[in-house]
Amino acid sequence: MDDFLPLSALQHYAYCPRQFALIHIEQAWAENRYTAEGRILHERVDSGVAEQRKDVRFERSVMLRSEHLRLTGKLDLLEVHGSERFVPVEYKRGKPKLVDWDRIQVCAQALCIEEMRSIQVTEGAIWYWEVRRRELVALSPDLRNLTLSMIENCHSLIELGQTPKPISDNSRCRACSLRDLCGPDRFRRDNSVRYARELFEF
Amino acid sequence: MKKLLNTLYITRQESYLHKDRETIVIKQGDEKLGQFPALSLGGILCFGRVSVSPFLMGYCAENGISIAFYTEYGRFLARVHGRQTGNVLLRRTQYRWADCSDRSKEIARLFVAAKIANSRSVLLRELRNHGDNPRLTTAADRLASSLRRARTAKSVDEVRGIEGDAASCYFSVFDELLRGSGFAFGGRVRRPPTDPINALLSFIYSLVTQECVSALQGVGLDPYVGFLHRDRPGRASLALDLLEEFRASWADRFVLTLVNRRQIQSGDFVTEASGAVRLQEDARKKLLTLYQQRKQEELTHPYLQEQLPIGLLPHSQALLLARHLRGDTECYTPYVVK
C-alpha cells in the first residue's frame, strides 16, 4: 500500500506539478469554493447504490487498484454492459476542457480495470456537472502513453521528495485552493539572497 | 494570505466551554455567557480555572483551532495538539539542519539580525519623534555594530553572544522610551517579573510565543527544534527563535504604546508578598482586548510586499521558513520593520 499513488493525484500533477507535490508530498490541503463543490458533488454521487437497467449494471464508488502501476483509488461510476464492456465514468463539477487533465484520470482508471478484470477497456466518460453533459473519452494509444508517463513522473517526484517551483501560467493559480500555501508570486523568483544581504546594510 | 481569524480569550474564572453542533458555548454554572460559530475562530486561550470539554478539544484539534491554557497570570501551562500534521520530509530537513552547525548558523544569524534591526528601529523611531538623546544614539550605534558582527559570525555560539550583548544594550536604555508614564525600568527581570513593565513584557512575549508555536505546527514544522535556541526538554526552541523577530517590533512597541498612552497605569498591578508583580484581572482583560485590536492592524510585509494584519506575521514567517527548508528560497527571510 505504501507507495501506491492515489488516482486523483494524476489530475493534480497534470494541473500543476507543484500542486501535486504540496498535496501528496507535503500533505497540504486547503479548501476553496471549487474543491468544496467538488467534494459535495462526490458525496452525492458516492451515496448511490448499484442498480441494473436492462443489460447494463451501474456500480458506484468502485475501489480500483493496479499492482503493476502502483495506483489506487475510487471510481465514481462503473457501467458494465453485458459481461465484457466496462465503461468508467468520472464526475466533475466543472466543464469540459481542451487539455487532457480529466481524460488522463479516466484513462488511469481504465488501466486499473483492465488489470483487475483482465479485459480491454475501449472507452470511458466524464460527466460535467456545470454543463450537465457527458463527454466520451476514447482510450487511444496516445492517451494511454501520456497517462503512463505521467504516472511514472508522479512516482519519481514522490521518491525524490521534491517540490517543484510554481508554474509560469498564472491563470491556473487563480483557481487553485493552495494558492496561499504555495505562494506562486512569492516563490516564482527567489529574491531572498538580496533581502538577507540588505538586512545587514543600513 | 490566509484570513486572520478571531481569538477567544477566556478570563472569567470557573467558566466551562463545550461544543454545541458547530458552535462553542461558554458557560459559568448554569448561566450561558456566550456562543460563537466554531469556524470563525483561530484559537482559544484559557486563563486560570477554565475547563473545556474533551469533545470540543477534539473538534478544535481536527479543525486547526488552537487551544492553550495559561495560569490566571498569563504563564503558559499547556496546549491541545491533535494529530501531527504536515510533511515528514520537512521535519527531517529541519532536524538535519538543526544538527548541522553551518546551516543552523545561517538561519540563527538571520533571526538575530532581524531582532537587532527591529530593536534598533524602536530606538531610531524614538529619536525621530522626540529629538536628540545621546543615550539612545549611542545604543543605536552599538546595535548597528552588533548587526555588522552578526553578518560575519562564524558559529551559532558567536551569534548567541552577539544577541545577548545587543539585548542588554537595548534594555539598558529602554527606560528612556517610557516617557512620563510613571513607570520605572531598570532592566529585564523574569520569572517572576518584579515591576510592571517586566510583567507586561513577559505577558505579551508569552502570548506571542504561543502564536508562534501554533503557526509552526500549522505549517508542519516542529516548534521544539530550533536553530538559535538549544534543545531543552519542554522548550519550544523554534518558536523562541521566531519570537526574536517580533519582540521589539510587535511586543515591546505594543507595551510602550499601552503605558505611554496611559491605557495601563500603576493602579492596574498588584505586588505579591514575594515581590512578584502581576496585572489585576480587569487590566488583563483590557490588555487582551487591545492586543487583539493590535493584531488586526495591517502592515506591508517587507519581503512578501503584501498587506497583512500583524496577527498573521507568525504564520507568514513560519511559512517562509518552511518554504526555505523545502528549497524554494536560498535564504530565510525574517520579518524586519521597514
Side-chain angles (χ1 to χ4, degrees), chain B residues 90 94 97 107 111 216 219 221 227 238 241-242 315-327 329 332-333:
Chain B
L90 171 66
Q94 179 188 350
W97 288 25
I107 299 182
F111 280 132
L216 291 165
V219 301
L221 285 163
F227 301 105
L238 188 62
D241 286 1
L242 198 54
H315 169 76
S316 74
Q317 294 313 115
L319 188 62
L320 284 166
L321 181 59
R323 301 280 19 132
H324 170 53
L325 292 168
R326 292 292 295 152
T329 54
Y332 171 58
T333 47

Side-chain angles (χ1 to χ4, degrees), chain A residues 58-62 75-79 87-91:
Chain A
F58 297 85
E59 288 191 10
R60 294 176 197 274
S61 297
V62 180
L75 172 63
D76 292 332
L77 173 66
L78 180 62
E79 289 179 7
V87 180
V89 185
E90 175 69 15
Y91 287 73

Side-chain angles (χ1 to χ4, degrees), chain B residues 46-84:
Chain B
C46 306
F47 293 88
R49 294 188 304 283
V50 176
S51 50
V52 178
S53 84
F55 294 103
L56 179 56
M57 290 191 198
Y59 176 85
C60 288
E62 289 220 316
N63 288 283
I65 304 166
S66 67
I67 302 184
F69 294 92
Y70 295 80
T71 64
E72 209 179 330
Y73 315 119
R75 192 169 60 82
F76 172 73
L77 292 172
R79 56 187 301 115
V80 178
H81 178 29
R83 267 191 292 274
Q84 180 78 58

Side-chain angles (χ1 to χ4, degrees), chain A residues 18 22 25-27 161-163 165 180-182 186-187 190-193 195-197 199-202, chain B residues 1-2 86-87 89 109 113 144 147-148 151 302-304 306 319 323 326 328-331 333-334 336:
Chain A
R18 184 171 167 96
L22 289 172
I25 298 177
E26 306 212 9
Q27 316 281 293
Q162 277 172 359
T163 305
K165 288 264 174 199
D180 287 343
L181 283 161
C182 164
R186 282 163 240 158
F187 300 115
D190 177 9
N191 297 322
S192 66
V193 175
Y195 179 84
R197 195 179 57 231
L199 208 61
F200 300 95
E201 292 165 359
F202 41 86
Chain B
M1 256 302 150
K2 76 177 208 175
N87 172 16
L89 298 175
R109 179 177 90 89
L147 204 48
R148 274 190 288 272
R151 177 185 207 160
Y303 183 68
L304 302 175
E306 273 174 57
L319 188 62
R323 301 280 19 132
R326 292 292 295 152
D328 279 349
T329 54
E330 216 174 311
C331 294
T333 47
V336 187

Side-chain angles (χ1 to χ4, degrees), chain A residues 2-194:
Chain A
D2 267 329
D3 47 0
F4 273 61
L5 190 71
L7 278 162
S8 54
L10 293 171
Q11 206 205 4
H12 297 142
Y13 185 92
Y15 189 77
C16 163
R18 184 171 167 96
Q19 188 201 57
F20 164 85
L22 289 172
I23 296 172
H24 299 281
I25 298 177
E26 306 212 9
Q27 316 281 293
W29 181 248
E31 199 152 68
N32 67 7
R33 192 191 130 196
Y34 303 119
T35 61
E37 282 175 1
R39 186 172 47 77
I40 290 162
L41 171 69
H42 276 91
E43 277 166 14
R44 215 185 304 161
V45 197
D46 290 351
S47 59
V49 284
E51 56 179 313
Q52 180 90 31
R53 285 186 224 151
K54 293 198 180 140
D55 65 339
V56 185
R57 198 168 75 242
F58 297 85
E59 288 191 10
R60 294 176 197 274
S61 297
V62 180
M63 298 300 297
L64 296 179
R65 175 183 176 85
S66 159
E67 294 288 334
H68 172 58
L69 300 170
R70 289 183 291 151
L71 275 180
T72 178
K74 209 158 67 177
L75 172 63
D76 292 332
L77 173 66
L78 180 62
E79 289 179 7
V80 186
H81 300 255
S83 59
E84 285 296 291
R85 207 173 129 226
F86 287 71
V87 180
V89 185
E90 175 69 15
Y91 287 73
K92 293 283 174 203
R93 62 156 291 287
K95 49 190 176 207
K97 300 163 190 73
L98 287 171
V99 281
D100 278 328
W101 310 327
D102 299 340
R103 288 184 279 275
I104 284 168
Q105 190 178 350
V106 173
C107 179
Q109 290 164 344
L111 293 172
C112 290
I113 297 167
E114 290 185 341
E115 185 181 313
M116 290 171 88
R117 313 291 327 194
S118 305
I119 50 140
Q120 188 76 24
V121 178
T122 54
E123 63 180 51
I126 307 167
W127 168 259
Y128 285 104
W129 180 71
E130 206 176 304
V131 292
R132 295 193 163 58
R133 204 171 69 213
R134 186 171 165 140
E135 186 198 73
L136 270 183
V137 179
L139 298 176
S140 65
D142 279 357
L143 183 61
R144 285 169 184 267
N145 285 335
L146 189 62
T147 306
L148 288 173
S149 73
M150 190 159 294
I151 294 169
E152 208 177 293
N153 288 347
C154 286
H155 279 303
S156 64
L157 208 53
I158 287 182
E159 261 148 50
L160 290 169
Q162 277 172 359
T163 305
K165 288 264 174 199
I167 52 170
S168 50
D169 174 9
N170 202 6
S171 66
R172 271 183 249 169
C173 299
R174 247 169 266 144
C176 177
S177 72
L178 292 180
R179 189 183 182 137
D180 287 343
L181 283 161
C182 164
D185 306 325
R186 282 163 240 158
F187 300 115
R188 213 169 265 134
R189 286 178 317 278
D190 177 9
N191 297 322
S192 66
V193 175
R194 198 184 61 173

